[in-house]
Amino acid sequence: MHLLKLLSSPGEMSKPTMEFSTGTTNSRDLPTADFINSVIDALSLDIPKDKLELYFNLLGDEARQSSSEKFLLTMERSDDEIAHTLETRIGHDERGMANAYYSLSKFMDYLPLDANPSLVAPVNEAIFVHLETLALQHFIVHHKSHLKRVRLKREIRQISGEISRLCELASKRTGASAPRPFDRYFSLNNFHHVVFGYPAEMASLVRFATGLETRKKRLFENTVRARALLASYVFRSLDETDRDIPILSLIDIAAALCSFRLQQEIKTEYSPYWHGQPSQGSDPQRLFDKGLRKHDPHQHQGVFQIYYYRFEECQAAFTGTSASYYALLAFRLSRLDCYMRAVRLNSIIGLFTALTRMDYLCIEKAMDIAMKYPNSSL
């Protein structure tokens, strides 16, 4: 019963969790992860090599990543292509972008994926696909409810005017031309200088955006936390790993600081969970800080997302793109639902065909939306 509960699909016998043992390469539950991977290895021995090659080509060759992480990265790259298609033609129109993403979301919701329902995989292959994608299944189910729970329910004000005044002050103080609010002027390794050099002004930005006061000590502590959050943003959204490249704007820095300050006020609780775990506590900030340790860095998915999605919400508020941002979230959830339907085909060929077809049709639909947009040059 313990084994069946552990290996069952999320929501049937097992509790959905983004911290499932095989969800990340650096597992918090190595014995279970090792057991599941040993079963996967045994099952793969009787699967034809051409099928296995097809499956692993679908995942990509990113080093040191779990299957779940590779699936999500593959989806993000397709989403980037879709975003580029829309932004090239509609990016100047906030309402147009929102409508485009909602149209794509609806398109995904009704997209048939099983092109050959009569195709049934052998039982060892079906179990192989199920176990390989089990962490992804858990992520999709838990992520959807978690996202609704952590969404901000308070107004975040635009701060472009306040940041512009900070830029003017910095220019007068240094005698050099100062960056504009959206200039990618700072790197991960030096952005803290603007916070430590202008603590009163940065605290004022946070207060204007959120309505919350921030003491200098807390501001500096949040700056240390913000580095880890911004590193993830730079990698996920800008595909950059060099920590010395000027790639962050003042808007990005302010959004990260606001994210941590908001959680300190809202105090959303979250308890990371995997089957049979001891209690990890329910204070996200304490858990996030534990993940900053150099000797054992590990951020629980649910903890990280509390801060990351609020960071994105603040970014959107600061840039006046909240409508399209929430539409983008709806599209992402629809994409994940499609992934769930695809992995539950429990067939390598079915999964490959479904995901390839989904990406092709979604990109084609984005092109169609862009072509039909008024004044499009396509």
Side-chain angles (χ1 to χ4, degrees):
M1 286 302 296
H2 172 77
L3 182 62
L4 290 174
K5 185 174 182 180
L6 173 67
L7 301 183
S8 64
S9 297
E12 294 179 359
M13 294 173 64
S14 61
K15 175 182 175 181
T17 173
M18 288 182 284
E19 281 77 45
F20 193 78
S21 58
T22 55
T24 59
T25 305
N26 185 20
S27 177
R28 295 290 88 182
D29 183 15
L30 280 174
T32 301
D34 289 343
F35 165 71
I36 293 175
N37 288 328
S38 69
V39 176
I40 291 173
D41 290 342
L43 291 166
S44 68
L45 295 175
D46 292 325
I47 298 175
K49 289 184 178 180
D50 57 342
K51 278 190 175 183
L52 288 177
E53 185 175 339
L54 188 68
Y55 175 77
F56 290 116
N57 284 341
L58 178 65
L59 283 183
D61 58 358
E62 293 294 328
R64 295 183 57 79
Q65 287 187 326
S66 68
S67 295
S68 177
E69 290 169 326
K70 289 178 181 179
F71 273 117
L72 293 172
L73 181 59
T74 300
M75 188 182 76
E76 286 179 5
R77 287 174 173 168
S78 296
D79 289 353
D80 287 343
E81 185 176 350
I82 291 165
H84 178 73
T85 298
L86 296 177
E87 288 169 358
T88 300
R89 310 296 174 180
I90 316 175
H92 62 282
D93 181 351
E94 166 67 1
R95 179 47 58 185
M97 286 292 289
N99 290 338
Y101 275 122
Y102 281 127
S103 295
L104 283 171
S105 177
K106 187 175 182 180
F107 177 74
M108 289 282 97
D109 289 341
Y110 294 98
L111 181 65
L113 295 180
D114 192 354
N116 188 359
S118 63
L119 182 65
V120 179
V123 66
N124 64 312
E125 179 185 329
I127 299 174
F128 170 86
V129 173
H130 171 71
L131 294 182
E132 265 282 305
T133 62
L134 188 53
L136 178 67
Q137 294 178 52
H138 273 272
F139 176 89
I140 292 171
V141 176
H142 189 192
H143 170 269
K144 192 169 188 176
S145 61
H146 185 60
L147 187 59
K148 293 177 181 178
R149 184 168 174 263
V150 303
R151 179 170 170 173
L152 291 173
K153 300 175 178 63
R154 60 194 300 155
E155 180 186 5
I156 303 298
R157 299 170 66 185
Q158 291 194 33
I159 57 172
S160 54
E162 286 64 32
I163 286 188
S164 295
R165 284 188 280 276
L166 171 59
C167 292
E168 292 173 6
L169 174 63
S171 180
K172 291 178 181 178
R173 182 182 298 181
T174 63
S177 58
R180 292 167 296 181
F182 297 97
D183 287 349
R184 298 197 177 279
Y185 185 85
F186 304 94
S187 73
L188 285 166
N189 281 340
N190 72 18
F191 82 90
H192 62 279
H193 291 307
V194 71
V195 184
F196 294 173
Y198 300 88
E201 289 76 15
M202 294 302 294
S204 179
L205 288 178
V206 174
R207 181 178 65 252
F208 189 86
T210 65
L212 303 173
E213 297 284 350
T214 308
R215 302 187 311 274
K216 182 187 288 189
K217 180 182 178 183
R218 173 170 276 178
L219 180 74
F220 290 172
E221 291 171 345
N222 286 348
T223 303
V224 175
R225 297 178 179 115
R227 179 177 283 108
L229 186 66
L230 290 169
S232 294
Y233 161 66
V234 166
F235 175 71
R236 292 174 58 160
S237 299
L238 305 173
D239 202 24
E240 182 57 69
T241 57
D242 190 335
R243 300 174 75 89
D244 290 313
I245 294 290
I247 202 166
L248 296 172
S249 70
L250 280 168
I251 289 288
D252 300 328
I253 298 167
L257 293 173
C258 286
S259 174
F260 287 98
R261 185 67 190 92
L262 284 163
Q263 171 58 20
Q264 287 158 356
E265 177 69 17
I266 298 171
K267 300 185 185 303
T268 302
E269 291 189 350
Y270 180 79
S271 298
Y273 168 79
W274 56 88
H275 189 68
Q277 65 135 35
S279 174
Q280 304 297 303
S282 59
D283 180 359
Q285 182 169 289
R286 185 185 66 82
L287 293 166
F288 189 93
D289 289 349
K290 285 177 66 177
L292 300 178
R293 298 174 299 188
K294 290 184 178 180
H295 68 282
D296 184 27
H298 181 87
Q299 289 295 353
H300 301 291
Q301 282 276 8
V303 172
F304 169 77
Q305 287 183 11
I306 289 174
Y307 295 105
Y308 193 79
Y309 280 116
R310 288 172 180 171
F311 161 73
E312 286 192 326
E313 284 190 85
C314 290
Q315 266 188 325
F318 296 162
T319 56
T321 57
S322 292
S324 61
Y325 170 69
Y326 291 123
L328 172 61
L329 286 187
F331 168 65
R332 287 176 180 171
L333 291 175
S334 293
R335 287 271 279 166
L336 287 170
D337 285 343
C338 276
Y339 262 66
M340 178 66 91
R341 288 191 281 133
V343 300
R344 286 187 170 174
L345 294 174
N346 287 331
S347 159
I348 291 176
I349 293 176
L351 178 61
F352 180 87
T353 303
L355 295 185
T356 303
R357 181 170 182 266
M358 176 177 66
D359 281 349
Y360 173 79
L361 291 177
C362 197
I363 292 171
E364 187 179 64
K365 180 66 174 179
M367 288 291 295
D368 182 57
I369 292 172
M371 289 176 67
K372 292 179 179 178
Y373 183 76
N375 302 321
S376 171
S377 58
L378 280 173

